[in-house]
Amino acid sequence: MELVLLFLKLKELIIKEIKKMLIPDIVKILTDSGIEPNEANVEIKLLIEHFAGYSLVDILMGKKLDEEKLKIVEKKAKLRAKTHQPIQHIIGFADFMGEKFVVNSDVLIPRDETEILVRKAIELIKNNNYKIALDMCTGSGCIACMIAKLTDCQVMGVDISTEAIHTAFKNMERFELFNKAMFRKSDLFDKIREDEKFDLIVSNPPYIPPIMKKAIQKEVSFDPEIALYTTDDKGLEFYQKIIKKAPEFLNPNGHILFELGIGQSRDVAEILKTNGFKEIQIIKDLAGIDRVIFAHI
């Protein structure tokens, strides 16, 4: 009970101090650009922590925010408001499963829905004592790194983008996952040797059909197109390519898991079934949308 009261008191102090430091005008820069007030307050706090180095300890110690650093925060807020560039790109980091991952314009920003995929992969790895996994279309390497960090499984992440692989390496080094998370440039299975077999294949592939480009949220447009869009009308291109080849690289009884786009679960399930996968199951996200599909060979 005492810890709860202390937490609430600290939260109250943070809110008061942020309001005093930020001069509501800086928050207003974001809200005037169409960003929701709650989101704007969170983003300003992130900017202060990153560019001013102002922490909870500083607040408790009564430290005042340096005027020059405040100007930097204001400058970054104006950049965010003008361009709608994601706050993660401005800061250079994204929160995912309680960790901060290096991100940039070369990789997809990790999203909350992908945590469902990773947690299911971790559950399957632990329940089946899996030892080696493949993360297809790895991007920032967040999926591979969290699996490697939270299990005894060794994970290889592959991506067609050289820049994405460089970013994944940075995150592997950041979490000191040497020899646990490995990365290789490869167009899907092209650079995977025939003798390399995996207990589990996991992927958050591009699944947005090109027709959706015009309707995409401005912030999402800053993600690399190669990580977002397919070339077919239903967004199934990468599911088809990965599933078709997966049986050649999976160990007996190995699993495959995908994150799904909205309305794609039935089609992906049919592709899995056609290619010999069994016990196909689907997990919904908090909004009740089919978000993850998994099956075994």
Side-chain angles (χ1 to χ4, degrees), residues 151-213:
T151 72
D152 294 326
C153 195
Q154 190 178 56
V155 189
M156 178 185 292
V158 299
D159 202 287
I160 194 173
S161 166
T162 300
E163 293 78 14
I165 291 297
H166 288 164
T167 304
F169 266 110
K170 288 179 183 178
N171 283 314
M172 178 272 290
E173 292 172 343
R174 178 176 176 82
F175 297 110
E176 299 183 347
L177 294 169
F178 306 102
N179 297 320
K180 283 212 68 185
M182 305 164 293
F183 298 97
R184 181 186 301 174
K185 182 179 178 180
S186 178
D187 183 0
L188 302 182
F189 292 100
D190 281 359
K191 299 300 181 182
I192 305 298
R193 300 191 309 270
E194 291 183 4
D195 64 326
E196 290 182 300
K197 306 296 181 183
F198 303 90
D199 297 316
L200 178 141
I201 295 175
V202 60
S203 183
N204 178 19
Y207 55 65
I208 303 175
I211 196 172
M212 295 297 294
K213 280 187 181 181

Side-chain angles (χ1 to χ4, degrees), residues 1 4 19 48 60 74 91 103 176 183 190 232 242 297:
M1 187 65 181
V4 173
K19 286 182 178 178
I48 289 174
L60 295 176
E74 182 180 9
I91 292 173
V103 294
E176 299 183 347
F183 298 97
D190 281 359
D232 68 306
I242 294 170
I297 195 65

Side-chain angles (χ1 to χ4, degrees), residues 137 188 205-206 229-230 235-243 258:
C137 309
L188 302 182
Y229 302 107
T230 66
L236 301 174
E237 175 187 2
F238 289 91
Y239 297 117
Q240 290 171 330
K241 289 180 177 179
I242 294 170
I243 292 169
F258 291 102

